[in-house]
Amino acid sequence: MGLTTDEIMQVSLDLVGWDEVPADSTVYVDGEGIESALVGIDLESPEIRLADDLGYDLALAHHPTGTSARLDFPAVLDKQVEFMTAHGVPEDVAEDAVADLRSRMDHGGHSSNYRHDPSVAELLDQPYLNTHLAPDEYGRRVFREVADAQPDDATAGDFVDALGEIPELRDAETDVRLRLGERDDDLGEVAVHHAAGTNGGASVARAYFEHGVDTVLYIHVGAGDTAELREEFADTGKTLVVTGHVASDAIGMNAVVDALEERGVECDTISGCGIGRDD
């Protein structure tokens, strides 16, 4: 019989025990009887057309491309504050740390062509959805398990090596990078800052570092943020571990693919999804 697009969205939410669809995840074009899907980290207009040409019942993306998932995206940034306060950062400091990011995301969504990719899917009558926060939360929990498994005397280098054993990170063309600090620095308290919409940049990492966190994990970070943090925290023992964007996103999306295939949906992966699935 196949699944509906709403049921497929729920499959992704079930991975982390959620009931509500996050603001950064949307069904753009409804579908039912779905038995095949083209799945990727980024599926935009060319890939939507590819899915239609090749006869897939669904184009399933990770990153949001339009409509409410882009316009409402700043709402998911509440997770940034939630994660920081869980590590002892005062709420007002956490809010200040994420204020500029909220503004940039709001301005970016407002100025974007949020109708571009969904309108192509509508014209083709190609079922199309994206699921972002739930797969990222799945990946965050994987990273958290690795962090929690480290012994009390672990170093940042030990953590980098342990993360590199995750199949998606192991098989990626990128590697896990230590953007701030040295391998022999004490690992200490680790904040896994993933599944909060995007990375928090220098301001969020600074808030963690100034309130007792020793190591921050991001999946990506800008060069300017790295330079800023190195200038402020060089030789302090603070470390910033960056796991790699696409490989890290693949952890959650691969879990979505596995869950869909268990439900009888045949999935083909492109655009970064599928890394490390040979295991």
Side-chain angles (χ1 to χ4, degrees):
M1 295 292 290
L3 302 179
T4 67
T5 43
D6 285 342
E7 288 172 333
I8 286 174
M9 180 68 80
Q10 188 60 49
V11 166
S12 73
L13 301 181
D14 287 344
L15 289 173
V16 292
W18 291 353
D19 295 321
E20 295 186 8
V21 178
D24 62 353
S25 306
T26 297
V27 174
Y28 303 107
V29 177
D30 292 326
E32 58 185 20
I34 294 168
E35 297 180 346
S36 65
L38 184 64
V39 188
I41 304 300
D42 295 285
L43 297 188
E44 300 175 347
S45 295
E47 294 81 22
I48 294 167
R49 177 61 187 270
L50 178 65
D52 181 67
D53 287 347
L54 296 178
Y56 289 96
D57 298 328
L58 174 70
L60 172 57
H62 176 53
H63 288 142
T65 61
T67 323
S68 60
R70 182 166 288 181
L71 295 179
D72 296 339
F73 190 88
V76 304
L77 300 179
D78 290 346
K79 285 284 186 180
Q80 306 255 344
V81 175
E82 177 185 324
F83 292 161
M84 282 186 279
T85 56
H87 282 276
V89 179
E91 186 170 357
D92 60 334
V93 174
E95 288 286 358
D96 285 346
V98 78
D100 181 63
L101 178 60
R102 285 189 192 278
S103 178
R104 286 189 282 114
M105 298 305 296
D106 177 64
H107 281 76
H110 193 266
S111 65
S112 69
N113 187 349
Y114 55 86
R115 287 291 302 140
H116 180 68
D117 299 303
S119 69
V120 172
E122 290 166 5
L123 181 64
L124 296 171
D125 196 26
Q126 171 64 58
Y128 176 43
L129 69 86
N130 90 281
T131 178
H132 190 233
L133 196 64
D136 279 355
E137 172 63 17
Y138 181 94
R140 186 190 70 82
R141 294 179 187 182
V142 171
F143 292 148
R144 188 70 258 171
E145 288 178 2
V146 174
D148 291 344
Q150 300 307 298
D152 291 341
D153 61 351
T155 66
D158 294 331
F159 186 41
V160 166
D161 293 343
L163 290 166
E165 295 176 6
I166 297 171
E168 288 83 355
L169 305 190
R170 181 199 63 208
D171 292 351
E173 294 179 42
T174 54
D175 54 8
V176 182
R177 297 286 183 91
L178 198 57
R179 294 294 191 188
L180 170 69
E182 304 296 336
R183 283 184 57 88
D184 59 359
D185 286 333
D186 290 339
L187 181 62
E189 181 178 347
V190 179
V192 176
H193 198 85
H194 179 37
T198 187
N199 80 85
S203 62
V204 167
R206 181 185 301 110
Y208 279 123
F209 292 150
E210 291 180 346
H211 291 86
V213 170
D214 303 290
T215 299
V216 172
L217 182 151
Y218 282 162
I219 71 166
H220 57 85
V221 70
D225 291 308
T226 296
E228 191 173 332
L229 291 169
R230 286 176 177 171
E231 183 175 350
E232 292 184 46
F233 294 99
D235 302 320
T236 64
K238 302 297 186 181
T239 57
L240 176 65
V241 175
V242 180
T243 54
H245 190 175
V246 172
S248 301
D249 282 352
I251 296 171
M253 288 304 291
N254 285 349
V256 172
V257 169
D258 290 343
L260 288 176
E261 291 188 338
E262 289 177 3
R263 297 285 298 273
V265 178
E266 181 179 348
C267 297
D268 288 329
T269 57
I270 62 171
S271 184
C273 191
I275 296 171
R277 285 196 75 227
D278 290 343
D279 285 7

